[in-house]
Amino acid sequence: MFTAAQRATVVPPEPPTHPRLSLTAVRATRAVLDGGWWPRSRDPVAELPGLILALNERYGPIRQLMLNSHSWDGHFRRLAVGTRVVRAGWFSTVDPAILIATTERGDQIDLLVVPPEVSAATADIAMAAAADPGNQLRAPAILAASRTTPTVARSEGVDATTFWDNEGGHDAREGLGRGSANTHAPR
């Protein structure tokens, strides 16, 4: 049950931040996800406006978002973004690793949500995998795989040819991002 304050339209007090976002170059009919997003915090009022603006630019006006109710620090029903109002639905049944956006035309955009506390290397791997149009993994599997993918750098004393040989002639981090349009901002 929402209180009167939660039912009111929330107007973010700060300008939107540029989201750390990686989207598929083209929407693939067989892809499981349309990309990945790495919020900086669990504050939806701070994080969602920038994401909505980026999705508006790419897919057209966003009408509604569906998110996991336990993954965020606050809940509201409507969020003012620019001159538009976007409805938000908070559900315990939505996977915490997913955000579902619906456009005015009724198109559904499914994004991997990378937890804000993960490392930059893990986030980069996960977002690249989510934005790969050939990806067949669901969001939780991508997060699990990105946390176990070797990310040892050359400066750590490991011979780079070890990765080269074991990953079929390419660095393990390269293979996950093929075919994606990386649009996330530098950290």
Side-chain angles (χ1 to χ4, degrees):
M1 183 68 73
F2 284 89
T3 66
Q6 290 171 319
R7 283 191 297 271
T9 300
V10 173
V11 178
E14 302 291 325
T17 59
H18 185 75
R20 299 181 292 191
L21 180 65
S22 185
L23 299 170
T24 57
V26 294
R27 293 199 73 188
T29 57
R30 302 185 82 188
V32 175
L33 297 166
D34 298 298
W37 172 52
W38 184 29
R40 291 172 176 82
S41 72
R42 294 189 181 275
D43 178 0
V45 176
E47 300 297 333
L48 292 174
L51 174 67
I52 292 167
L53 290 173
L55 294 177
N56 283 346
E57 189 175 306
R58 177 73 181 272
Y59 300 107
I62 299 300
R63 176 183 67 204
Q64 179 178 337
L65 299 175
M66 292 192 306
L67 303 107
N68 179 276
S69 57
H70 303 293
S71 298
W72 296 93
D73 291 339
H75 302 134
F76 48 81
R77 294 298 251 171
R78 291 181 290 280
L79 179 67
V81 180
T83 60
R84 302 184 50 79
V85 174
V86 176
R87 297 182 65 77
W90 306 91
F91 304 95
S92 60
T93 54
V94 171
D95 191 300
I98 291 285
L99 176 142
I100 302 166
T102 307
T103 68
E104 287 291 337
R105 293 186 317 253
D107 295 330
Q108 181 175 313
I109 303 157
D110 297 329
L111 295 178
L112 166 75
V113 178
V114 179
E117 61 274 3
V118 304
S119 70
T122 297
D124 287 344
I125 291 167
M127 290 193 310
D132 182 345
N135 171 53
Q136 294 295 309
L137 295 175
R138 302 249 179 246
I142 290 173
L143 288 177
S146 64
R147 288 182 174 133
T148 60
T149 300
T151 57
V152 179
R154 290 180 194 187
S155 62
E156 294 177 287
V158 174
D159 183 6
T161 59
T162 304
F163 288 118
W164 184 266
D165 291 340
N166 291 337
E167 298 301 328
H170 60 78
D171 188 322
R173 292 164 289 198
E174 287 175 16
L176 290 173
R178 288 193 192 116
S180 67
N182 190 349
T183 60
H184 68 278
R187 285 170 283 293

